[in-house]
Amino acid sequence: MEEIKTTEMPTTYDPKEAERKWYEYWLKGEYFKAGQRKDAETYTIVIPPPNVTGMLHIGHALDCTLQDIMIRTKRMQGYDALWLPGSDHAGIATQTRVEQKLREEGITRYDLGREKFLEKVWEWKEHYADSIHQQWAKMGFSLDYSRERFTLDEGLSKAVREVFVKLYEKGLIYRGNYIINWDPAARTALSDIEVEHKEVQGHLYHLKYTVKDSDEFIVVATTRPETMLGDSAVAVHPEDERYQHLIGKVLVLPFVGREIPIIGDEYVDKDFGSGAVKITPAHDPNDFEVGKRHDLPQILVMDITGTMNDKAGPYQGLDRFECRKQIVADMKASGVLVKIEDHVHQVGHSERSGAIVEPYLSTQWFVKMKPLAEQAIAAQNSKTGANFVPERFEKSYLQWIENVRDWCISRQLWWGHRIPAWYNDETGEIFVSHSEAEASVRAGGGTIRQDEDVLDTWFSSALWPFSTLGWPDETEDLSRFYPTSLLVTGYDIIPFWVSRMIFTALEFTDQIPFKDVLIHGLVRAEDGQKMSKSLGNGVDPQEVIEKYGADAMRFMLSTGSTAGQDLRFRWEKVEQARNFANKIWNASRFVLMNLTGFTVKDIDLSGQLGTADRWILHRLNETVRDVTRLIDTYEFGETGRLLTSFIWDDLCDWYIEFSKLSLYGTDAVAKKKTQSVLAYVLDQTQRLIHPFMPFISEEIWQHLPHEGETITLAAWPLYNAEWEAADAVQEMNLLMDVIRTVRNIRAEVNVPMSKKIELLIKPVNEDALVILQRNEEYIRRFSNTSLLEISLTLVNPDKAMTGILTGAELYLPLAGLIDISQELARLEKELQSLRGEVERIEKKLGNEGFVAKAPAKVIDEEKAKLADYADKRDKVIARLAELRG
């Protein structure tokens, strides 16, 4: 691979240039391609395939960024890491979009015919698949494009046919009449989870049905009076004394004059309403079951568009809602309508078209779910199932799969996997086969036709983890990369997709398809509302990248919430992430300006290192250990906090500042040690931040002394026990406390850093004295002193600003700095705070419940805090007395 030549780092970081340059470089070098580490352990993620219905949204950006973090980390850790890309044909969603586009042109799919219409959909698919590719690139996703799949490509189609045929042969796929959810706008069946239930203000209509040849009548209630035209019976509870004498008698159905029986069935709640319910088997799922028990006729009074048909008598040709208005008016006029009540109820809407769903008797294909669900439940209960993160989502998964109904898998669409079933209309035989040729042979050469319907898009998506790797063929990729390591997805599609992938994988591969399932929340608008086109509150990832760069967007999204929790998108958070990137850039520029001529071979961390050097290596070591653990447990928010703290605070604000003494000094040996530490720590830091911010980390790393072609393949930092230096941490903590306190006192009295001051330090013991004397140069430089005195026998000056530290007392003689009254007020305020802390801990330690339950370590820590606060309080009291004396 030809190496990109790096030049001196520009003053400011240009995200657009870096993103373009490095993504092209990564692709050209095939650094994302799996299978090149034959002896390495594998790590696999197959991307949740985005629908080819449009552009990726901010939720996709979150979902894929989390996956990229894991893939980049594991790749750097030496795994043969595969992140397999792909997209979903999305069935009804894509067809609806294309049909909408055609309507704008004044034509329908029926005007074009099936083949021509499918050509239009393929054109749509190619356009948006290309757009998705461009967005993946902009966001820096390290996908193995050589293995990209599409749910309608030939390999996946083969897998779909194999699964359909096998399930059919086992009796787990069947064809039958059943009440399904019907979308009259899209003219297709929907599964239960494609129906969105919304609370609607409607009405409850009470109707009077008269007993034949009698003055008696029964009152029933319905929210859909138009369905009365399909009534087959009225049911009452068999033990309801009010109606027992009527069971077996006949009612006359108003307007159509059809006679219907009064039946007894325990389905009826005799204490609800009138205790009598109309039974419409072709238009209600509960009525359908009652109808089967009593062998009632199934009378369908609508067609597939929601228009009343010839069974609707005088209402034939009316739209279902127009029919409702007309029939209510007629019932009022004829006395059939007893009353109308306002009624708030849940009404199903098509998730895709928005149309009100019609429960509809139809001949469809179904998957018998109980045997498949039982396998998945058994695996989860035996602890051999998927590991859900957070764990609470396992309950959501089990709750759905334990109560699952048979899955209606046929769709009355043209775009999708056509059902592999062929019919001989003369004999009525059905041939479920892998191909038309196979079906024809089984049909003995007779005339056959293929089922017009296609499969629910989730049918092919359910096979995604193993079909993408070559199943049903025994491919090398399947044996090496399956089962996969991780699925990252939102909680909203656990029933749609996660559960279906699990039960199909168990059925056809005998394995759970992924080890971990990481569930994230939704990306919501700043006010907490769900993002939607209708509200106009959506955020385009491209807009974010244009303003702040991909790295800032990735860092904000990935570290902005905990697993399973929704995230509110805030522009100021992206700006903060951009500022963090700029901080890293500026610090790196400073380091590189001081590494002129320094090569990777010059890095030498052996021998004697200074306090600050040992401290930063210790802090790096802690950060490596904790970040590695947190990434492995998907705690990205805490990872971001640790990285920010280490890079911004420890490295930039402290170590780089301390390094200037040796970098600008005359000691060549000390300078080279500092250069070595800077080069090493900055290199390791870029590796740690790389999974989150791939572009800026690559840009900086390429400028640093390094070996290798790309940070993408650089080794992940490892914990190194040699860098543990608790004594250096103790020293630095005292030094930083001194410098920080001096700066705070300066700020309080408005004394600029440019003005030299006198600083007197009284250590609490000999150890503190040694530390402070050994580091006098740092104290002088960063406190800007004209006089520095460090002594155990220091006599406290009468008039001075005071700082009380854990390891020392600081005095800044007032001479011309402040007046006494200000210092007294400040110390009084500090005393009040210290007394509060002492009182708080004393109460805690005096609480018998706390002392009884808390671990001994916690109690000891609280006692140590109490002693420290009490010591500081006493010193402040003494200082106040001195100033007042």
Side-chain angles (χ1 to χ4, degrees):
M1 179 66 193
E2 183 183 347
E3 186 177 351
I4 285 188
K5 302 298 181 184
T6 55
T7 58
E8 184 179 333
M9 287 178 66
T11 306
T12 57
Y13 173 60
D14 181 357
K16 291 180 183 176
E17 173 57 22
E19 289 161 13
R20 180 201 60 76
K21 175 176 66 177
W22 292 119
Y23 205 75
E24 288 177 4
Y25 179 74
W26 293 331
L27 292 184
K28 189 175 180 182
E30 297 187 335
Y31 301 130
F32 305 155
K33 191 171 183 178
Q36 302 182 75
R37 297 170 173 174
K38 298 296 184 184
D39 298 326
E41 186 178 347
T42 60
Y43 187 89
T44 312
I45 300 175
V46 290
I47 198 169
N51 295 343
V52 289
T53 49
M55 305 290 281
L56 302 181
H57 54 66
I58 200 72
H60 290 113
L62 167 63
D63 188 82
C64 290
T65 295
L66 300 183
Q67 294 170 69
D68 199 30
I69 288 169
M70 295 308 303
I71 281 290
R72 286 183 181 272
T73 301
K74 295 301 177 181
R75 190 184 289 121
M76 294 173 76
Q77 287 175 341
Y79 288 80
D80 189 4
L82 168 62
W83 188 15
L84 189 149
S87 52
D88 196 326
H89 67 281
I92 187 172
T94 304
Q95 178 160 322
T96 299
R97 295 289 299 276
V98 176
E99 286 196 78
Q100 182 181 354
K101 186 170 181 288
L102 290 176
R103 280 196 297 273
E104 293 169 3
E105 299 170 11
I107 55 177
T108 69
R109 62 169 158 144
Y110 303 103
D111 296 327
L112 292 175
R114 188 169 195 140
E115 296 305 317
K116 290 289 185 184
F117 174 74
L118 289 178
E119 287 177 13
K120 292 285 187 184
V121 188
W122 276 106
E123 288 174 11
W124 174 282
K125 178 265 175 186
E126 293 301 326
H127 172 75
Y128 280 102
D130 184 58
S131 297
I132 289 168
H133 273 186
Q134 291 177 36
Q135 287 183 288
W136 282 341
K138 285 283 187 184
M139 291 185 269
F141 298 149
S142 58
L143 296 153
D144 183 351
Y145 292 102
S146 70
R147 290 175 166 85
E148 185 172 1
R149 306 305 297 268
F150 177 56
T151 50
L152 275 178
D153 69 27
E154 182 49 43
L156 271 68
S157 294
K158 179 180 180 181
V160 165
R161 291 192 297 271
E162 179 72 12
V163 167
F164 191 98
V165 171
K166 285 287 194 294
L167 290 177
Y168 181 80
E169 290 172 347
K170 290 183 72 171
L172 295 177
I173 281 183
Y174 64 93
R175 188 169 183 259
N177 288 334
Y178 204 80
I179 290 285
I180 47 88
N181 303 299
W182 184 262
D183 182 339
R187 302 183 190 181
T188 185
L190 303 172
S191 65
D192 289 346
I193 50 181
E194 290 174 305
V195 178
E196 185 180 359
H197 291 277
K198 300 178 182 178
E199 197 170 82
V200 171
Q201 175 64 59
H203 299 93
L204 193 61
Y205 302 89
H206 296 260
L207 317 179
K208 182 168 67 175
Y209 287 9
T210 302
V211 179
K212 183 181 178 183
D213 300 328
S214 167
D215 293 333
E216 287 189 89
F217 59 85
I218 290 180
V219 174
V220 296
T222 180
T223 58
R224 299 187 299 152
E226 66 278 8
T227 63
M228 69 168 288
L229 303 169
D231 286 356
S232 295
V234 166
V236 297
H237 195 280
E239 296 176 3
D240 191 333
E241 295 178 357
R242 292 171 295 174
Y243 301 118
Q244 280 183 335
H245 68 289
L246 293 177
I247 295 175
K249 292 190 175 182
V250 173
L251 297 167
V252 178
L253 191 62
F255 308 121
V256 291
R258 191 170 66 251
E259 296 181 358
I260 59 174
I262 301 171
I263 60 173
D265 195 284
E266 292 183 352
Y267 157 71
V268 181
D269 181 354
K270 61 183 178 181
D271 297 321
F272 181 77
S274 68
V277 295
K278 58 192 282 303
I279 303 299
T280 319
H283 290 278
D284 183 278
N286 295 316
D287 294 2
F288 176 78
E289 297 297 336
V290 174
K292 283 203 298 183
R293 288 197 290 272
H294 296 271
D295 197 25
L296 298 174
Q298 299 166 338
I299 303 167
L300 201 60
V301 296
M302 296 178 202
D303 65 17
I304 60 174
T305 67
T307 301
M308 309 308 291
N309 63 19
D310 58 353
K311 298 289 196 306
Y315 305 99
Q316 180 179 358
L318 291 178
D319 170 77
R320 55 183 170 156
F321 299 119
E322 285 299 318
C323 176
R324 180 179 299 178
K325 293 177 185 176
Q326 186 60 52
I327 208 167
V328 168
D330 292 347
M331 286 190 292
K332 284 180 180 177
S334 63
V336 171
L337 184 65
V338 176
K339 63 177 178 178
I340 302 175
E341 292 179 316
D342 289 338
H343 181 64
V344 176
H345 60 134
Q346 296 285 324
V347 176
H349 290 71
S350 170
E351 187 188 51
R352 302 302 183 186
S353 71
I356 290 179
V357 169
E358 191 66 41
Y360 195 78
L361 181 66
S362 179
T363 302
Q364 302 286 343
W365 290 91
F366 295 87
V367 173
K368 192 178 291 183
M369 284 301 304
K370 189 175 180 182
L372 297 170
E374 285 173 348
Q375 287 185 69
I377 294 166
Q380 211 64 33
N381 290 339
S382 65
K383 305 303 179 185
T384 59
N387 173 42
F388 283 81
V389 182
E391 189 179 353
R392 69 180 184 274
F393 287 103
E394 181 182 24
K395 292 180 182 177
S396 303
Y397 160 69
L398 282 172
Q399 184 177 21
W400 184 82
I401 206 163
E402 284 168 355
N403 297 285
V404 70
R405 297 199 310 170
D406 284 0
W407 175 16
C408 176
I409 55 172
S410 47
R411 297 290 181 271
Q412 289 63 54
L413 304 171
W414 289 350
W415 174 244
H417 290 278
R418 198 162 170 184
I419 290 174
W422 284 263
Y423 304 96
N424 184 320
D425 290 330
E426 293 180 5
T427 64
E429 292 175 285
I430 301 175
F431 304 98
V432 171
S433 305
H434 295 89
S435 66
E436 185 169 6
E438 183 183 313
S440 183
V441 170
R442 291 177 57 197
T447 302
I448 58 174
R449 63 175 179 83
Q450 188 175 358
D451 196 306
E452 293 288 322
D453 291 351
V454 301
L455 289 164
D456 178 9
T457 188
W458 297 104
F459 192 92
S460 52
S461 298
L463 319 182
W464 188 249
F466 53 94
S467 64
T468 51
L469 294 168
W471 188 94
D473 296 333
E474 295 181 5
T475 64
E476 184 180 343
D477 274 3
L478 185 66
S479 63
R480 181 155 175 74
F481 294 107
Y482 183 82
T484 66
S485 308
L486 174 67
L487 170 72
V488 181
T489 191
Y491 58 69
D492 52 331
I493 60 171
I494 291 174
F496 281 87
W497 191 43
V498 178
S499 57
R500 287 169 173 166
M501 285 190 285
I502 291 174
F503 69 67
T504 51
L506 283 170
E507 176 69 18
F508 290 97
T509 71
D510 294 320
Q511 292 175 295
I512 294 290
F514 21 71
K515 177 178 176 287
D516 291 344
V517 181
L518 174 60
I519 302 296
H520 60 75
L522 304 177
V523 182
R524 294 186 176 273
E526 188 168 353
D527 60 2
Q529 289 194 78
K530 190 173 180 179
M531 291 183 178
S532 70
K533 286 185 178 178
S534 60
L535 293 174
N537 61 354
V539 175
D540 180 358
Q542 187 58 40
E543 182 186 358
V544 184
I545 293 169
E546 281 292 321
K547 285 185 176 180
Y548 295 106
D551 288 330
M553 181 187 73
R554 288 171 59 115
F555 194 76
M556 176 270 181
L557 289 173
S558 59
T559 64
S561 72
T562 54
Q565 299 295 317
D566 290 346
L567 179 153
R568 294 192 182 193
F569 184 92
R570 292 185 170 94
W571 283 104
E572 63 266 26
K573 293 291 185 183
V574 191
E575 187 172 354
Q576 288 170 15
R578 190 272 315 274
N579 293 343
F580 179 45
N582 287 342
K583 183 78 171 181
I584 298 171
W585 181 262
N586 292 333
S588 301
R589 275 191 78 245
F590 169 80
V591 171
L592 284 158
M593 286 166 61
N594 288 278
L595 292 180
T596 304
F598 199 83
T599 69
V600 71
K601 293 178 181 178
D602 293 321
I603 297 176
D604 179 10
L605 300 177
S606 63
Q608 187 69 33
L609 294 172
T611 299
D613 300 327
R614 295 174 61 233
W615 169 76
I616 197 65
L617 289 170
H618 175 97
R619 285 292 299 119
L620 171 66
N621 211 33
E622 287 184 320
T623 305
V624 166
R625 178 196 64 202
D626 294 341
V627 164
T628 303
R629 173 181 56 81
L630 290 167
I631 289 178
D632 279 344
T633 52
Y634 313 116
E635 296 178 64
F636 301 116
E638 183 64 10
T639 305
R641 189 191 67 77
L642 285 184
L643 286 170
T644 304
S645 174
F646 173 72
I647 295 171
W648 196 301
D649 300 335
D650 298 340
L651 179 58
C652 297
D653 288 355
W654 288 105
Y655 182 73
I656 286 179
E657 290 303 310
F658 274 37
S659 73
K660 291 175 182 178
L661 286 180
S662 54
L663 290 175
Y664 301 155
T666 57
D667 187 333
V669 174
K671 180 177 181 180
K672 188 171 182 182
K673 285 295 180 189
T674 299
Q675 288 175 314
S676 293
V677 173
L678 281 169
Y680 177 76
V681 172
L682 193 56
D683 169 276
Q684 297 291 291
T685 300
Q686 298 316 305
R687 298 181 195 217
L688 288 176
I689 203 75
H690 177 70
F692 297 84
M693 294 180 157
F695 293 113
I696 194 170
S697 56
E698 181 77 90
E699 181 72 26
I700 292 169
W701 190 80
Q702 291 287 353
H703 283 85
L704 284 168
H706 70 273
E707 291 177 329
E709 296 177 0
T710 172
I711 195 172
T712 298
L713 302 182
W716 183 256
L718 297 175
Y719 172 83
N720 184 349
E722 291 180 20
W723 301 137
E724 288 299 307
D727 58 325
V729 173
Q730 183 183 3
E731 285 199 31
M732 279 296 292
N733 284 343
L734 180 54
L735 282 177
M736 291 188 293
D737 269 356
V738 168
I739 295 165
R740 205 181 283 120
T741 302
V742 170
R743 289 174 174 175
N744 289 342
I745 292 174
R746 279 178 173 273
E748 277 189 45
V749 295
N750 199 26
V751 176
M753 283 300 299
S754 57
K755 184 174 181 177
K756 290 190 177 294
I757 58 167
E758 293 181 9
L759 176 60
L760 312 178
I761 305 178
K762 186 177 183 179
V764 294
N765 53 37
E766 191 74 37
D767 289 340
L769 174 67
V770 172
I771 290 171
L772 292 168
Q773 287 180 334
R774 185 163 56 225
N775 293 282
E776 274 191 48
E777 191 176 2
Y778 290 119
I779 299 171
R780 290 183 191 281
R781 168 69 182 271
F782 295 106
S783 299
N784 193 18
T785 60
S786 58
L787 170 70
L788 174 63
E789 183 180 342
I790 305 171
S791 173
L792 290 170
T793 59
L794 186 76
V795 177
N796 300 352
D798 290 336
K799 294 183 179 180
M801 294 289 288
T802 308
I804 308 299
L805 312 180
T806 300
E809 297 175 35
L810 307 184
Y811 302 100
L812 278 70
L814 295 175
L817 293 182
I818 63 162
D819 61 31
I820 299 296
S821 61
Q822 284 182 332
E823 175 63 355
L824 285 169
R826 187 186 72 82
L827 285 172
E828 284 286 0
K829 187 176 178 182
E830 186 173 348
L831 178 60
Q832 185 179 358
S833 174
L834 289 168
R835 280 174 170 163
E837 290 297 329
V838 169
E839 185 180 350
R840 180 182 64 81
I841 297 176
E842 283 177 340
K843 282 183 180 178
K844 183 183 279 190
L845 292 173
N847 183 328
E848 293 180 5
F850 170 76
V851 174
K853 293 179 182 178
K857 182 183 176 183
V858 172
I859 293 173
D860 289 343
E861 287 173 353
E862 291 298 317
K863 286 180 178 178
K865 286 181 191 175
L866 177 61
D868 187 42
Y869 283 130
D871 181 54
K872 289 177 180 176
R873 175 201 61 193
D874 294 343
K875 287 175 180 176
V876 169
I877 291 171
R879 186 60 185 151
L880 281 167
E882 289 173 8
L883 286 175
R884 286 171 178 149

